[in-house]
Amino acid sequence: MFKKLSILYKENDNSALETAIKVQDWLKNKGTECIVFHSVGIFSSFNHSEIMAIQNSDAVVVLGGDGTMLSASRLIGGKKIPIIGINMGKLGFITEIPKSDLFDSLEQIFSGNYEIEERSMINAQIFRDEQVINEYLGLNDLVIGKGIMAKISDFGLIINDVYVSTIKADGIIVSTPTGSTAYNLSAGGPILYPTLKGLVFTTICPHTLSVRPLVLPDHFTIDIIISSHVRDIFLTIDGQIGLPLQKNDRVRCRIANEKTYLIAPLGRDYFRVLREKLRWGER
């Protein structure tokens, strides 16, 4: 059984906070120590001792939506610490346990009836003048897109050091299988089963209709070069962090060595998740 847990809940969400308090009381009755109790999100800040405590937990309970889970995954930093995601939001592809099933699911998990899924993470390095100026880790995706200026950009695509093409498009998405149901799906990319090993390269509104998404092995490296000078081109990781890019910047992305580990009760059916979240079969 888990002896030390951290509870992370969606920032500025009273319902998530109230539920987190109830979970803390439930864990206490189970004899489990709660070593960190903290909100998590884009604007939440953690000191070094809190981060170290989270990264030394036996597991982490996250209450929020998928965005909260993405923030928590990066905070854990690829450590082999399983996450129990409780959906306090609406869609919940990653936070699959609904709030209504919270304590039944926790009881099942604490009884040992659960499985742990290993999810790939994405690593992004940004080169400027041949120097790495920043590096990011994400669970869902890397997106290069324009800001307020409605102008097509040129992107050089290099895979495994081999030039592929220069692509005219509004932007680029490089997604993990977990992130394939996020922005990638909206842009017409394929759904990958979340435990698959691979990368998805998808263009956003390409100028040439023959440009189609690519599914690549997980050991491939993708380099994207900003080939045109367009104002307000940004790189974002998981839709939450990033930086502005310049002409000739190179973004190198690959599957990271780090992984995210998600806990789910036994018998969980991913196709039911797709059916319910995407409303398959409805008219």
Side-chain angles (χ1 to χ4, degrees):
M1 189 179 76
F2 304 117
K3 295 296 185 182
K4 297 185 298 182
L5 267 77
S6 294
I7 298 175
L8 302 175
Y9 56 92
K10 183 179 180 181
E11 61 185 358
N12 303 320
D13 187 316
N14 290 333
S15 177
L17 173 58
E18 291 169 3
T19 305
I21 293 171
K22 293 177 182 178
V23 171
Q24 186 180 38
D25 292 339
W26 188 90
L27 294 175
K28 184 178 180 180
N29 290 333
K30 287 288 185 181
T32 299
E33 179 186 2
C34 180
I35 57 176
V36 175
F37 185 92
H38 203 296
S39 68
V40 64
I42 300 174
F43 302 108
S44 295
S45 60
F46 292 79
N47 59 43
H48 178 72
S49 62
E50 289 170 333
I51 293 173
M52 292 303 296
I54 292 169
Q55 294 183 349
N56 283 292
S57 303
D58 294 328
V60 176
V61 179
V62 176
L63 298 107
D66 284 353
T68 311
M69 282 285 283
L70 295 172
S71 296
S73 174
R74 292 196 309 275
L75 183 65
I76 291 169
K79 305 292 183 182
K80 200 168 184 178
I81 302 163
I83 303 173
I84 304 169
I86 311 300
N87 184 19
M88 304 292 295
K90 296 180 180 178
L91 201 56
F93 275 104
I94 313 173
T95 46
E96 293 182 28
I97 299 174
K99 181 183 175 182
S100 58
D101 295 345
L102 168 56
F103 293 106
D104 286 343
S105 295
L106 286 178
E107 193 69 57
Q108 189 176 348
I109 289 168
F110 271 70
S111 298
N113 298 318
Y114 65 88
E115 58 187 357
I116 298 179
E117 286 190 348
E118 180 183 283
R119 300 290 185 92
S120 296
M121 301 185 77
I122 194 167
N123 172 273
Q125 290 180 309
I126 297 86
F127 291 81
R128 183 170 295 163
D129 299 325
E130 304 302 322
Q131 301 293 322
V132 177
I133 62 168
N134 222 321
E135 187 167 0
Y136 296 100
L137 183 68
L139 175 59
N140 254 10
D141 53 30
L142 167 160
V143 177
I144 301 173
K146 57 187 179 59
I148 59 174
M149 298 296 291
K151 187 174 181 180
I152 288 175
S153 305
D154 291 342
F155 302 97
L157 174 61
I158 298 172
I159 298 177
N160 289 349
D161 296 322
V162 176
Y163 172 76
V164 177
S165 180
T166 297
I167 296 171
K168 293 181 179 292
D170 284 357
I172 300 292
I173 304 166
V174 181
S175 166
T176 65
T178 297
S180 68
T181 50
Y183 197 177
N184 167 74
L185 184 61
S186 298
I191 297 174
L192 271 63
Y193 198 82
T195 54
L196 279 176
K197 309 298 182 185
L199 278 172
V200 184
F201 174 89
T202 304
T203 53
I204 303 170
C205 299
H207 188 261
T208 304
L209 295 179
S210 60
V211 175
R212 288 291 182 259
L214 293 172
V215 179
L216 302 169
D218 65 340
H219 61 276
F220 275 34
T221 298
I222 301 173
D223 284 330
I224 301 163
I225 300 172
I226 310 303
S227 302
S228 58
H229 180 73
V230 178
R231 291 175 53 195
D232 300 330
I233 291 186
F234 292 89
L235 166 73
T236 57
I237 303 294
D238 290 343
Q240 296 180 338
I241 57 173
L243 81 170
L245 298 174
Q246 301 177 7
K247 183 180 180 182
N248 297 323
D249 283 355
R250 178 188 294 254
V251 180
R252 176 165 294 165
C253 39
R254 55 168 66 96
I255 291 296
N257 293 324
E258 297 85 353
K259 308 294 180 184
T260 290
Y261 300 88
L262 303 183
I263 288 181
L266 289 177
R268 162 262 203 189
D269 178 3
Y270 182 68
F271 297 106
R272 179 182 62 82
V273 174
L274 291 178
R275 188 169 59 249
E276 292 179 355
K277 305 300 182 183
L278 300 179
R279 301 183 181 275
W280 285 355
E282 297 183 16
R283 303 187 66 174

